[in-house]
Amino acid sequence: MARLDYVETAGEVADRIRARRGGRLTPLDRMLLHSPPFADGWNSLLGAIRGQGTLPGDLRELAVLRVAALNGADYEWAAHEPVARKEGMTAEQVGALRVDGDTALLDERQRAAVAYTDAMTENVSVPEEVFSALHKHFDSREIVELTVTVGAYNLVSRFLVALEVGA
């Protein structure tokens, strides 16, 4: 059970969130709506990550799922696993993103993204060799977008886990 009640609301912020989500509010949205300004900013940021970047969707979702796995954010994993599959990830690739998964099943580009996601999530500081490996596979814009995605979904997972959203 969530640690706070979910908000049932109408209003401009809720309407903007519904517009991005195809007409519905998720439990995450309903928790965020305790603070409409934060919910609105969150919606803008996550909308940009999900819909305005150049980072391929499979790599975006790879990062999201890895963050969810590392942080124990089951709600986040459940929400994004089907998205990852729609973006072209196989069941084996998705399984490799679990903490005990076999990343040898991933290609070199995916492994570079996982190593970067792991470093950012577990240590914040990224070793030079991990960062340098990104340049073999990603341009500067994609590196920025991957970095923002990992950072933002760490925020998402921490919010979900701390407030037991969806539990």
Side-chain angles (χ1 to χ4, degrees):
M1 178 140 177
R3 290 183 160 169
L4 300 173
D5 292 335
Y6 293 109
V7 173
E8 301 293 336
T9 187
E12 292 178 22
V13 173
D15 290 344
R16 280 193 288 278
I17 296 169
R18 282 188 193 94
R20 181 175 71 85
R21 293 206 184 267
R24 65 185 183 86
L25 294 175
T26 67
L28 169 62
D29 302 324
R30 292 172 48 225
M31 188 63 69
L32 282 164
L33 283 165
H34 279 282
S35 175
F38 281 28
D40 206 21
W42 186 294
N43 186 52
S44 294
L45 174 61
L46 276 290
I49 290 169
R50 298 280 302 274
Q52 297 174 19
T54 61
L55 186 68
D58 63 322
L59 290 164
R60 180 194 65 237
E61 295 304 316
L62 174 147
V64 173
L65 288 175
R66 185 62 175 188
V67 167
L70 292 171
N71 291 335
D74 296 334
Y75 176 97
E76 185 173 44
W77 182 278
H80 283 269
E81 184 175 7
V83 179
R85 298 298 299 277
K86 285 180 188 172
E87 291 291 348
M89 293 190 73
T90 66
E92 293 78 19
Q93 290 170 326
V94 169
L97 300 175
R98 292 284 189 188
V99 172
D100 59 352
D102 183 2
T103 58
L105 298 171
L106 304 175
D107 65 30
E108 189 177 335
R109 187 175 198 217
Q110 293 168 325
R111 284 193 305 274
V114 167
Y116 189 61
T117 300
D118 288 1
M120 283 186 64
T121 302
E122 294 175 329
N123 304 314
V124 182
S125 178
V126 176
E128 185 57 40
E129 64 274 7
V130 171
F131 188 77
S132 294
L134 292 178
H135 284 286
K136 295 177 188 174
H137 307 286
F138 301 95
D139 64 26
S140 295
R141 180 172 175 171
E142 289 172 324
I143 291 171
V144 166
E145 291 177 1
L146 178 60
T147 304
V148 171
T149 299
V150 172
Y153 278 93
N154 268 289
L155 168 64
V156 173
S157 65
R158 285 165 168 77
F159 183 87
L160 293 168
V161 172
L163 294 178
E164 298 180 359
V165 173

